[in-house]
Amino acid sequence: GTNAECCAGEYSTQTSGACYAGMANAPSAAPSAVADIKYYPDYDTDYEDATCLPGKMNGRPSFDSMAECCIGAYPAQTSGACFAGMDSPPTVAPTTEADKKWFKDP
């Protein structure tokens, strides 16, 4: 998983915030569970190279998953950089939320 997921899972009771503080783009507040991890667009990077980062940043939209962030913040990105930055990137980037397909795990 991601660094943020590790911190939320393995150090969920840590009160110092040391695990999160060690992240390159540390969130402003430690989430209390993996489900609480949010993602925001990295507007400081060129559009075609940009990805979404874990955490929240004032003035930027917040998404529940990296996939939702990539679709919402970089809908016209042709490089696929945002999706490629995911732990388990899709083989083809969906073009809209409606294009996402779910299937039962065998």
Side-chain angles (χ1 to χ4, degrees):
T2 66
N3 192 342
E5 289 170 338
C6 177
C7 291
E10 298 299 318
Y11 300 98
S12 61
T13 59
Q14 184 182 64
T15 57
S16 68
C19 185
Y20 291 99
M23 294 172 55
N25 292 290
S28 54
S32 57
V34 172
D36 293 335
I37 297 173
K38 303 294 183 194
Y39 293 85
Y40 68 93
D42 179 11
Y43 292 149
D44 297 327
T45 300
D46 182 67
Y47 187 89
E48 284 299 318
D49 298 323
T51 62
C52 291
L53 304 170
K56 293 182 180 181
M57 182 175 275
N58 287 338
R60 296 191 187 182
S62 180
F63 297 90
D64 290 334
S65 72
M66 189 162 175
E68 288 177 14
C69 181
C70 290
I71 291 169
Y74 304 107
Q77 187 182 65
T78 58
S79 67
C82 191
F83 287 104
M86 295 173 62
D87 285 337
S88 298
T91 52
V92 177
T95 55
T96 67
E97 284 286 328
D99 289 339
K100 283 200 259 181
K101 303 294 182 216
W102 301 95
F103 62 94
K104 182 178 180 252
D105 192 4

